[in-house]
Amino acid sequence: MVKWMEENSAMQFKPVPLPDYHPTTEGVSIGRTLLTEEYDGRHLGPRIKDVRYVLQGLSVFGSMQADPSELAYLTKPFTSFNNLSKCVHKLGRYAVDLLLYGKGVMMANGNALVGRLLHTCISENVELWKDSPAVRTILEDEKITGLLVSKGGEQNVKLGARKGVVLATGGFGRSIEAQNFSPHIWSAQPRANVGDGKRMGFESGAIFPPQNPINGILAPISLLHLKDQVRRYPHFAIDRSKPGSIIVGPNGRRFANESGPYQEFVSILHQRDIKEAWFIGDKTFLRKYGMGMALPWPYPKWRLLRQGYLVKASTISSLAEKINVPQSALEKTVGECNANARKGIDPDFGRGGNIYDNFYGDPTVKPNPNMGQCVEPPFYAVKIHPGDVSTTWGMMVNEDAQALDSAGNPIQGLYAVGNDQNSVMRGQYPGGGSSIGPGMTFGYRAGMHLAGKTL
Ligand SMILES: Cc1cc2nc3c(=O)[nH]c(=O)nc-3n(C[C@H](O)[C@H](O)[C@H](O)COP(=O)(O)OP(=O)(O)OC[C@H]3O[C@@H](n4cnc5c(N)ncnc54)[C@H](O)[C@@H]3O)c2cc1C
């Protein structure tokens, strides 16, 4: 798939030396993950306006995106002339983009993937319809032959399909049903992913397996409440994993390895029924690594403090009072963590004891790149919740992404990919790209099958 995409589309990937997330599992490896190369959205011409904004909170100054390779200079602008000049160049480009397009158009990560796919569709003259949700599949002679679409205020616009229909509506993370798994407010999933594909598949006779052990891709989420919107920040690893952070529950005590994979970290929150936890760091931590939407120095923090996203106090005891956790418990936790950090050993949760933890740690910190002291006032806290970024429960399909009926036979003309298809990992998340990787692979296989090509 990767080779084919690079040869036949605008997609360009680059490897990331990220270890698999469970380093003690048999067959574990490093560097399976691919990241999309940055993409200059100016190539999309006027269609750049059709690409959604990157999740607010994951961008800087509103909509400036950054590739992980840029973090080295963006987080340390004043450490060398080279870093400073790259920052100035990046900011200059962003300012021009804002004037011309109203947003940053140098696309990175998932947004670059979208940009490159859209670029390919435009160059291949694929007709794209916006704001035109598919409503129902058309079933004729036991074959799916098209879709009914709502378009421009007109209901039931008929769209014929010579070969078939691929359901790819992103799962059901914003449906009412999904609230059984976690409230929408803690979900960073796109608002339109309300389970239309799941419903259309069900109505077409597709079957669903028993629910997965985990039905979502889970991530700790912090929220910034603004007058007219809520911004969400998924704390995947980049801040949470750094040395000097501590995450405590409402009782002021740690409950997990802060540097552990997000799926497992949030599963522990669920197991312990913790709805609110506190991500804590000191002045040095915030300045060096940032905490969620509060970016490292020199990015300003005053607004986030005023908005209540970031809580600040001069002592651990007064921080405990402000965040409403028992003072003595929090002081005890911080004291223990500081003593453990000096030794570099976390006897309770084994933090920093494997290559996955270390990947997101700070290699300059010894003896444990994931453990540091929290001693320098003022102290800060950010509230986090057990959130999610995807659902994983979907239709049963075969190796070509054809949806299966209750007898296990493919439904002619019906395919399901992405989150509309049941997770091939059954909801586990063994490494970076465990959702988009299978999504693209089965999308590719569905495309080849539709084109009558055997793989
Ligand atoms: C912040 C964040 C970071 C992530 N990072 C990673 C990562 O690093 N690696 C990884 O593998 N996964 C990651 N994920 C998860 C991943 O992005 C999703 O699982 C993946 O995009 C799902 O792909 P999809 O095609 O199924 O759905 P989506 O990409 O959500 O696309 C579905 C589309 O269908 C549209 N739609 C919905 N209903 C209809 C309808 N009735 N008719 C027509 N269109 C409809 C929606 O508007 C949406 O545009 C991340 C998610 C988030 C939120």
Side-chain angles (χ1 to χ4, degrees), residues 42-54:
R42 290 181 300 193
H43 298 313
L44 294 176
R47 293 220 73 149
I48 181 67
K49 294 216 157 45
D50 296 341
V51 180
R52 280 188 198 131
Y53 274 70
V54 70

Side-chain angles (χ1 to χ4, degrees), residues 306-339:
R306 205 188 59 201
Q307 288 160 333
Y309 177 81
L310 200 57
V311 182
K312 176 179 171 183
S314 54
T315 62
I316 290 293
S317 162
S318 53
L319 187 71
E321 201 179 339
K322 284 190 175 175
I323 62 177
N324 200 21
V325 305
Q327 292 175 6
S328 56
L330 188 61
E331 280 178 326
K332 186 171 175 216
T333 303
V334 174
E336 285 168 1
C337 285
N338 290 341

Side-chain angles (χ1 to χ4, degrees), residues 52 55 58 133-134 168-170 188 190 192-193 196 200 234 236 389-390 418-419 429 433-436:
R52 280 188 198 131
L55 196 68
L58 283 184
T169 68
N193 296 6
D196 285 350
M200 286 186 275
F236 289 120
V389 297
S390 259
N419 297 341
Y429 207 81
S434 292
S435 179
I436 294 174

